Amino acid sequence: MKILAHRGYSAKYPENTLAAFRAAAHLPIYGVELDVHLTKDQHIVVIHDETINRTSNGSGFVKDMTLEELRKFDYGSWFSEEFSGEKIPTLSEVLAIFCNTNYRVNIELKSDIFVYVGLEKLVLQAVKSFDMMEQVILSSFDHEAVARVARLNPMVENAALFANGILNITDYQKSIPAKSLHVSLPSAVRKPILEAMQEGAIVRVYTVNEIEHAEVLFNIGVDAIFTDEPERMLAFLSGK
């Protein structure tokens, strides 16, 4: 079972910051997960929410601000004063950390609330500029975006994200088409997902921070987990 650091090493560092990704890059894990939105001036930035309210000392929607405006705020001190001065990263800044490594980089396209026209194409351009097409996974709850990735570059791994389990998930996966399934912790042990795995589906599960949950997922054979606690999960797997 592989480990992806969720929003970087987000248990010990402010999520989706360069500090969190640099920390994750020092760990012997499979990869990292991050979230991207599009700014008013068409820059791809790494942040989870549609607004900067929760993870900065500013407020407002990412889509309504330019990169320069977004950079005026602090994205670290909400977590700890130790990280004051952290800026919102661009996708390229994060890719630069991992481009000469073997880490997989899961880029979640956050277009399930607002439609960011052209986001998939811009992300693929950025990935290509770092020669990382084989290193990335592009995922989204917006399955139209997942389908667009398949059309734009069928070679790139795309993944459909699910908050809840659905029946006939294998047929649905083929209809997108998506190369892998990213599912919530509760739905991972349900019959449709177990059957999909039996048929060879690549299943990754979010967000797994407790050993007892990791134990269950290890035993049923999921491919990977997303965790805020990569070192805790490494310790667990080292005992296997």
Side-chain angles (χ1 to χ4, degrees):
M1 188 169 71
K2 307 180 187 89
I3 296 169
L4 291 118
H6 183 240
R7 308 178 197 173
Y9 195 161
S10 57
K12 291 191 175 179
Y13 300 81
E15 65 177 64
N16 278 327
T17 60
L18 295 181
F21 294 116
R22 287 179 182 133
H26 290 297
L27 300 175
I29 57 176
Y30 181 64
V32 295
E33 184 267 357
L34 57 91
D35 310 276
V36 294
H37 292 264
L38 210 52
T39 68
K40 186 178 180 180
D41 53 345
Q42 299 288 289
H43 287 278
I44 308 164
V45 288
V46 178
I47 187 170
H48 179 271
D49 300 356
E50 283 71 28
T51 73
I52 64 171
N53 303 20
R54 180 176 63 86
T55 56
S56 84
N57 62 347
S59 64
F61 289 100
V62 173
K63 69 179 181 65
D64 293 336
M65 287 182 269
T66 65
L67 178 60
E68 185 180 1
E69 288 168 336
L70 289 163
R71 296 269 203 183
K72 291 175 182 175
F73 301 106
D74 182 316
Y75 295 79
S77 57
W78 69 273
F79 187 86
S80 166
E81 281 303 318
E82 179 187 351
F83 301 107
S84 63
E86 282 287 329
K87 300 301 179 190
I88 191 170
T90 62
L91 175 60
S92 292
E93 286 172 333
V94 178
L95 292 178
I97 296 172
F98 298 102
C99 64
N100 294 313
T101 72
N102 292 321
Y103 287 75
R104 294 299 299 273
V105 179
N106 186 139
I107 303 168
E108 182 181 337
L109 309 169
K110 297 294 289 184
S111 52
D112 47 311
I113 304 297
F114 297 120
V115 176
Y116 295 112
V117 177
L119 177 60
E120 305 87 15
K121 191 172 183 178
L122 290 169
V123 167
L124 286 168
Q125 286 172 353
V127 170
K128 187 177 181 181
S129 72
F130 284 92
D131 194 24
M132 291 177 69
M133 288 296 199
E134 294 181 3
Q135 252 179 282
V136 299
I137 304 160
L138 269 54
S139 66
S140 188
F141 288 104
D142 175 5
H143 296 172
E144 289 179 286
V146 178
R148 281 192 290 272
V149 170
R151 291 196 297 272
L152 287 164
N153 193 322
M155 302 306 293
V156 169
E157 183 174 352
N158 64 341
L161 263 163
F162 296 88
N164 300 297
I166 66 167
L167 298 173
N168 303 319
I169 198 165
T170 303
D171 291 341
Y172 182 71
Q173 179 184 359
K174 291 173 183 174
S175 73
I176 295 175
K179 290 184 167 63
S180 47
L181 302 171
H182 292 181
V183 305
S184 66
L185 180 55
S187 63
V189 294
R190 300 297 180 94
K191 188 178 178 182
I193 302 300
L194 296 174
E195 288 178 346
M197 284 194 289
Q198 287 172 355
E199 292 181 35
I202 297 170
V203 173
R204 304 185 182 101
V205 182
Y206 68 92
T207 304
V208 186
N209 293 329
E210 304 303 330
I211 298 300
E212 56 264 36
H213 297 149
E215 183 89 54
V216 171
L217 298 172
F218 179 86
N219 289 335
I220 64 173
V222 303
D223 181 75
I225 55 171
F226 299 94
T227 181
D228 303 328
E229 297 276 6
E231 285 186 291
R232 181 185 294 173
M233 293 302 144
L234 279 169
F236 160 71
L237 288 174
S238 70
K240 291 298 174 185

